[in-house]
Amino acid sequence: MTDFVERMRLGETLIKEGVVSEEQLSRALSEQQSSDKMLGEVLVDSGIVGSQAMLRMLAHQLEAPYCDLRHGLIDFSLLELIGVEEAERLKAIPMFMVNDTLTVAMAEPQSLPKIDRLHQLTGCKIRPVLAFHSKILEYIKKSSSAASNDPNVESFLASLGETDVSVVEKEAIDQGPATDLDQTVDGSPITNLVNMVLLTAIKDGASDIHVEPDRSRTHIRYRIDGALRDLMKPPMGLHSSIVSRIKVIGNMDIAEKRLPQEGRVRIVAQGREIDLRVSSMPTLLGEKLVIRVLDRASLKIRMEELGFRQDALAAFQRMLAQPHGLVLVTGPTGSGKTTTLYSALDLLNSPERNLVTVEDPVEYQLDMINQIQVHASIGMTFVRALRSILRQDPDVIMIGEIRDEETARVAIQAALTGHLVLATLHTNDAPGAVFRLLDMGIEPYLLSNALNGVVAQRLARTVCPSCATKYFPSENVLQDAGLSDKAASTFRKGLGCQECHNSGMRGRAGIYSVMEVTGVLRQLIHSKAPAHDLHAELRKQGVLTLREEGVLLAIDGRSSLEEILNVTHSQDASEDLVSSEVN
């Protein structure tokens, strides 16, 4: 009865969409009754409907992902998890496994009993994908044949032809595929492997993908919320092919394996454009690759979304409201400095202003902003670009990073001659930026006149909402945070679940300490006062340190206290800055 209803629903949809006529549908139904094929397969085999269009329509009807199962990346060893007989009975074949999730091509992905049976047999979380029954049977036979001839995944992949597997997420009938990643490749099995790595990383919100050689395996890991996690471990024999495929995508020289290289490419995945920045590095066991995933959809450039507390946000906005001067953002690599600068540019961007950036590299392309890429190999350095920018009538200049005295001096001069200059600097805290520039040779009187303020920041992982629970930090942790035990009951941490990969953490939040340079601070910089005097003045003004800002984040229940202590540094005892209790 259920099959009959499904056939009628499909037939009605096909006629309604004008895909088939009533006469064609009637003939197909008659032919289907005399065979063991599904109605969709009969229509495809007869040439009335294309396979992609039929799969898309069926997937829309069933509200499921679909797979055009032409030869491709099917790890035949996974067939052993369910066996050939069960695979044929369930009309299903395992395709690949990522972590504890097994993607299975199924003729009936809506069948909960069959999904439960697959879960029982494999112990894995099942991701069902719609495929034609005839194709599933074809590849069950090919996979079992390959397994009996050679139990090596590499040999099986090498035996496959130049074909492709295209996994498309649930979509509307009248829309195109949700991913166009397969349009950038030639469809080989290695291509499919690389595609799956990229698509999984993008779907999970990874910032970086690491492809690392080992003696027996290739380790593919990705970084989520600042922590690396295993993705898959293909055989070492595939390493050179994987590296070559990624280097081809990144427009790099596949013949050069002795020197580091860099490449970049823009792909379309899940319906949006994503930039990939590829870096290769030779090691003793082979080349290591790191792919930076730059997803514009995950970029938060509205300043209100970054996580500033209200008074810190107001101070930062006052610094940016000045007609000229230098605004610095400091912190270690990966602390979100570039995102903060982009949010500042978004705030300042208007048709009345000329905004120019010089970056190494340009991470995200922004509208109505002139972005310049540094190319040191051809002499296009920060200093040379800045000097040229000053002749381009700029209002706002962003410098990706101040690395040396020459760049710092040009930036200071630009700030003093009527330009608003934004830049990043690597220091531990906001006052440290002052002493870093002084150490570079910048005169105190120039710096005191040019500097509007400094934002110091860190990124802390946030508690997974799916497994969050209250907990009581140890006495030592509370002491390091400057808290008494009476605040212990307000803290939360994650126990670990599938949503957060058993880490207890999901997502990250910014921690910001803002030093606005006015009055007394400007005088202290001019007189080259020691660090403890600057810290003492900030304390008088009520400016919180990074650790104190982070503790407030933990008290709000957004992060754990241990995470805050891990990402923020404590005050130096010599500075006599024992903070008052934050409560």
Side-chain angles (χ1 to χ4, degrees), residues 338-395:
T338 301
T339 300
T340 301
L341 285 184
Y342 282 169
S343 73
L345 290 174
D346 181 65
L347 180 69
L348 297 168
N349 196 0
S350 73
E352 292 79 25
R353 287 194 179 103
N354 176 22
L355 281 69
V356 187
T357 75
V358 52
E359 306 171 62
D360 183 23
V362 175
E363 293 196 4
Y364 296 94
Q365 295 183 18
L366 306 175
D367 297 332
M368 292 182 60
I369 296 176
N370 304 289
Q371 295 175 269
I372 299 171
Q373 171 73 53
V374 168
H375 290 287
S377 59
I378 61 173
M380 188 62 167
T381 61
F382 277 107
V383 173
R384 185 168 181 177
L386 282 172
R387 287 173 176 162
S388 297
I389 287 171
L390 292 175
R391 294 190 286 272
Q392 292 283 316
D393 187 30
D395 295 297

Side-chain angles (χ1 to χ4, degrees), residues 162-452:
E162 294 295 316
T163 51
D164 189 22
V165 170
S166 175
V167 176
V168 183
E169 294 298 335
K170 181 177 64 178
E171 56 186 346
I173 294 177
D174 57 348
Q175 295 177 343
T179 171
D180 295 315
L181 182 59
D182 55 339
Q183 294 181 6
T184 67
V185 296
D186 61 10
S188 72
I190 292 298
T191 289
N192 294 324
L193 174 61
V194 173
N195 277 5
M196 292 306 168
V197 169
L198 294 176
L199 289 170
T200 302
I202 292 166
K203 178 184 176 183
D204 290 351
S207 61
D208 300 88
I209 305 168
H210 291 240
V211 181
E212 303 163 309
D214 200 355
R215 295 187 182 277
S216 59
R217 313 290 293 181
T218 294
H219 293 270
I220 300 181
R221 301 186 290 171
Y222 58 174
R223 189 180 298 277
I224 300 177
D225 298 334
L228 281 172
R229 297 190 175 100
D230 284 329
L231 179 58
M232 60 177 66
K233 298 179 182 179
M236 184 56 188
L238 298 181
H239 183 77
S240 60
S241 298
I242 294 171
V243 168
S244 295
R245 177 62 217 160
I246 295 173
K247 290 172 79 172
V248 167
I249 292 175
N251 298 311
M252 302 159 70
D253 184 0
I254 63 174
E256 180 56 73
K257 302 179 180 180
R258 301 166 299 172
L259 297 173
Q261 294 187 63
E262 293 184 358
R264 186 165 186 160
V265 67
R266 176 172 296 175
I267 65 172
V268 177
Q270 295 189 335
R272 61 184 187 271
E273 291 187 349
I274 294 170
D275 287 331
L276 303 178
R277 200 169 69 226
V278 186
S279 171
S280 71
M281 177 67 68
T283 71
L284 288 176
L285 297 175
E287 289 183 279
K288 173 182 176 176
L289 297 182
V290 175
I291 306 170
R292 172 64 59 87
V293 181
L294 302 172
D295 186 354
R296 179 69 183 269
S298 64
L299 178 64
K300 295 180 180 179
I301 59 174
R302 290 189 69 253
M303 196 165 290
E304 294 78 8
E305 298 177 354
L306 295 183
F308 282 89
R309 286 191 308 105
Q310 191 57 47
D311 54 348
L313 178 61
F316 188 27
Q317 291 175 335
R318 285 194 300 269
M319 290 151 49
L320 296 172
Q322 299 297 318
H324 57 80
L326 177 63
V327 177
L328 295 173
V329 179
T330 73
T333 301
S335 59
K337 300 187 298 296
T338 301
T339 300
T340 301
L341 285 184
Y342 282 169
S343 73
L345 290 174
D346 181 65
L347 180 69
L348 297 168
N349 196 0
S350 73
E352 292 79 25
R353 287 194 179 103
N354 176 22
L355 281 69
V356 187
T357 75
V358 52
E359 306 171 62
D360 183 23
V362 175
E363 293 196 4
Y364 296 94
Q365 295 183 18
L366 306 175
D367 297 332
M368 292 182 60
I369 296 176
N370 304 289
Q371 295 175 269
I372 299 171
Q373 171 73 53
V374 168
H375 290 287
S377 59
I378 61 173
M380 188 62 167
T381 61
F382 277 107
V383 173
R384 185 168 181 177
L386 282 172
R387 287 173 176 162
S388 297
I389 287 171
L390 292 175
R391 294 190 286 272
Q392 292 283 316
D393 187 30
D395 295 297
V396 180
I397 302 171
M398 188 196 97
I399 306 171
E401 183 182 349
I402 294 178
R403 300 175 178 174
D404 50 48
E405 178 185 351
E406 195 173 7
T407 304
R409 195 166 293 281
V410 175
I412 294 288
Q413 290 172 354
L416 291 171
T417 54
H419 305 89
L420 183 62
V421 180
L422 316 178
T424 70
L425 200 63
H426 285 281
T427 61
N428 286 332
D429 55 16
V434 172
F435 300 102
R436 176 71 186 277
L437 290 172
L438 293 176
D439 289 342
M440 285 183 179
I442 302 301
E443 292 80 0
Y445 72 91
L446 292 177
L447 182 58
S448 63
N449 287 323
L451 189 61
N452 289 354

Side-chain angles (χ1 to χ4, degrees), residues 511-528:
I511 304 172
Y512 305 91
S513 176
V514 181
M515 181 183 80
E516 186 180 7
V517 178
T518 57
V520 177
L521 277 177
R522 202 172 297 280
Q523 295 175 8
L524 291 172
I525 296 171
H526 187 279
S527 62
K528 204 174 181 179

